[in-house]
Amino acid sequence: MNPIRISLISAAVAAAASVGAAPADTTTPIRHLIVVVGENVSFDTLFATYVPPAGESVHSLLSQGIVTADGNPGPHYGRAVQRIGANRHVATPSTRPASTPTRSCRSRC
């Protein structure tokens, strides 16, 4: 299971378990915040520049020097460069088929 999903489930369970507990003193009326993250959202998208509290650490783009605190490329930016696939066969007039068959949508729609 996705680590973020596990964290969200854990947070929701902890919040639900504390509903019956005595109210904690807070500086705002907000006692719990549950964040629901959609599919295909990575940890780096959400927490790339997160700075953890003193005494804690997190493996993120910021902590690895990939980006700076303001989101610009950091000293180790090159470690995160993604490779882009390329189509090595480019159709030319001599390799392109004379006619391209079409598929009917009736069987798949």
Side-chain angles (χ1 to χ4, degrees):
M1 185 178 270
N2 184 323
I4 293 175
R5 187 173 293 167
I6 291 171
S7 296
L8 292 174
I9 292 170
S10 299
V13 169
S18 67
V19 168
D25 291 334
T26 62
T27 57
T28 69
I30 299 170
R31 290 182 48 206
H32 304 287
L33 175 66
I34 297 174
V35 178
V36 179
V37 179
E39 296 268 342
N40 297 327
V41 176
S42 73
F43 180 86
D44 289 337
T45 301
L46 297 171
F47 301 107
T49 58
Y50 173 72
V51 178
E56 294 184 20
S57 65
V58 65
H59 185 83
S60 67
L61 296 178
L62 179 62
S63 69
Q64 300 303 304
I66 308 286
V67 297
T68 60
D70 60 2
N72 288 316
H76 302 296
Y77 178 75
R79 294 180 185 173
V81 172
Q82 304 222 349
R83 308 295 183 247
I84 298 173
N87 185 356
R88 295 175 189 253
H89 176 75
V90 178
T92 63
S94 62
T95 61
R96 189 176 303 142
S99 66
T100 305
T102 59
R103 289 190 172 174
S104 169
C105 187
R106 291 181 203 159
S107 63
R108 296 175 18 153
C109 296

